[in-house]
Amino acid sequence: MLLGTLELPNGIPAKDVFRRVLAALRPDAFQSCFVSWLESLRQAACEEGAVSQPVFAVDGKTNRRSHDRKRGLGALHAVSLWASELGLSLGQVACEEKSNEITAIPELLRLVDLQGAIITIDAMGTQKAIAQQIVEGGADYVLAVKGNQESLETAIADTFLAETEDDFASGKVRKHETTETAHGRTTTRTYYQMPAPRNLVDSAAWAGLRTIGMVIAVCLRDGKETVEIRRYISSLGMGVRRFARAVRGHWGVENSCHWILDVVYREDDSRIRDRLARENFAWLDRFTLSLLKQHPSKDSIAMKRRSCGWSDDFLMEVLTGKAT
């Protein structure tokens, strides 16, 4: 198949050639080669799914066995941007450990055209400079607020508590509720959204801040009930269903991306320990996952991967996006 597709005057390269190339390429330069390809996939996916404002989830994942103690190399932790509704990985930046995500996220956002998207980030990335960068990039943000912004989290909690105690008499709060039953548990999520109060802590320092949100998730499993509360700041205008879609889109990165990389690609079992090769290979995992998700077949990702190995025609369909 390679000989029929590419000019290979020296024959088909051995696996050691691929290893040496991946160990020599700069990851940022390697990723830049995929920009136009990904942009075409993004446009096609948006048109097919009629998504006017896609949700881009920024999240980190650790390849647990990629460490090398003898060389003092820690496990690879990569922060990537996943377009949840489109099934596309649009960029990746590596850092040595999770605590370095704050510096990796701005680099990642510079790699991608953010125009018209909603960027969602966990609490670690809830930083004023990152919010400013997102707004300047022409996007909106939905940022989780936890202990790293303690005073802000407390202010949001108190604001919604006051509205609750007053039975939402002010009319400012919008509410949306969903119920899902799967994997032996029933989860009810209640989404609340309201305009950000003018006296909210440091409100002027958060670029484009317009609304605050809260999600209460009640999970019932085996007769036991658990409750989780999450709070958010956002540059989105009022529209609680859009806020709910952004929050759910961020949580979806675990199932639609990270779980597949762990279980189907077995990424955590990888023992690639060269600093550049492991980052480049992690990017190839995400890129090929994006290609497989664009293929219209209803088969699982695992079956699509097998089919690529069984059939050159199917492989070319996945690579080109066109039936042969």
Side-chain angles (χ1 to χ4, degrees), residues 25 75 203 293 319:
L25 287 171
S203 60
K293 280 187 169 289
L319 290 175

Side-chain angles (χ1 to χ4, degrees), residues 66-141:
S66 60
H67 62 276
D68 189 345
R69 292 191 180 92
K70 291 182 179 179
R71 296 166 55 196
L73 186 66
L76 171 70
H77 185 81
V79 181
S80 56
L81 192 150
W82 179 255
S84 304
E85 297 148 315
L86 310 181
L88 286 173
S89 185
L90 300 176
Q92 167 189 290
V93 170
C95 52
E96 289 302 325
E97 48 189 45
K98 187 173 178 64
S99 59
N100 292 341
E101 283 189 12
I102 294 175
T103 56
I105 291 174
E107 293 182 44
L108 174 63
L109 295 177
R110 282 191 287 270
L111 295 175
V112 180
D113 179 11
L114 306 179
Q115 186 72 38
I118 301 173
I119 312 300
T120 63
I121 312 178
D122 277 338
M124 185 170 289
T126 302
Q127 307 291 327
K128 297 180 180 69
I130 291 176
Q132 180 73 43
Q133 184 180 358
I134 292 171
V135 171
E136 290 176 354
D140 284 301
Y141 61 78

Side-chain angles (χ1 to χ4, degrees), residues 120-302:
T120 63
I121 312 178
D122 277 338
M124 185 170 289
T126 302
Q127 307 291 327
K128 297 180 180 69
I130 291 176
Q132 180 73 43
Q133 184 180 358
I134 292 171
V135 171
E136 290 176 354
D140 284 301
Y141 61 78
V142 175
L143 306 179
V145 179
K146 289 185 180 178
N148 62 326
Q149 300 284 351
E150 187 175 355
S151 58
L152 181 59
E153 182 185 26
T154 300
I156 295 173
D158 290 344
T159 300
F160 277 108
L161 179 60
E163 291 289 333
T164 303
E165 291 178 342
D166 198 26
D167 198 23
F168 305 111
S170 67
K172 297 177 181 178
V173 179
R174 296 293 180 267
K175 175 183 174 182
H176 176 58
E177 187 172 285
T178 64
T179 300
E180 298 175 5
T181 300
H183 308 295
R185 64 176 179 267
T186 299
T187 305
T188 299
R189 294 182 177 89
T190 306
Y191 301 85
Y192 299 93
Q193 186 193 36
M194 66 177 290
R198 293 183 179 179
N199 61 350
L200 190 70
V201 175
D202 289 339
S203 60
W206 293 96
L209 176 62
R210 298 175 66 188
T211 55
I212 58 176
M214 181 173 68
V215 183
I216 301 176
V218 180
C219 180
L220 182 63
R221 183 170 189 171
D222 298 329
K224 296 182 180 179
E225 185 178 272
T226 58
V227 179
E228 183 179 23
I229 301 176
R230 300 190 183 193
R231 300 173 180 90
Y232 300 85
I233 57 173
S234 176
S235 64
L236 291 173
M238 288 297 292
V240 68
R241 290 180 181 271
R242 183 172 55 163
F243 166 68
R245 180 171 69 86
V247 172
R248 290 294 291 143
H250 186 84
W251 293 341
V253 70
E254 293 296 335
N255 295 327
S256 61
C257 181
H258 292 174
W259 185 89
I260 293 175
L261 291 173
D262 283 340
V263 176
V264 179
Y265 281 71
R266 300 185 67 181
E267 194 174 66
D268 270 352
D269 293 335
S270 172
R271 291 298 282 141
I272 300 174
R273 286 167 286 181
D274 179 89
R275 186 180 295 273
L276 297 183
R278 65 180 189 171
E279 184 177 345
N280 285 326
F281 208 87
W283 167 245
L284 284 176
D285 282 346
R286 285 155 178 77
F287 178 68
T288 57
L289 173 58
S290 299
L291 291 179
L292 291 169
K293 280 187 169 289
Q294 304 315 303
H295 192 275
S297 168
K298 299 300 182 182
D299 290 334
S300 67
I301 295 297

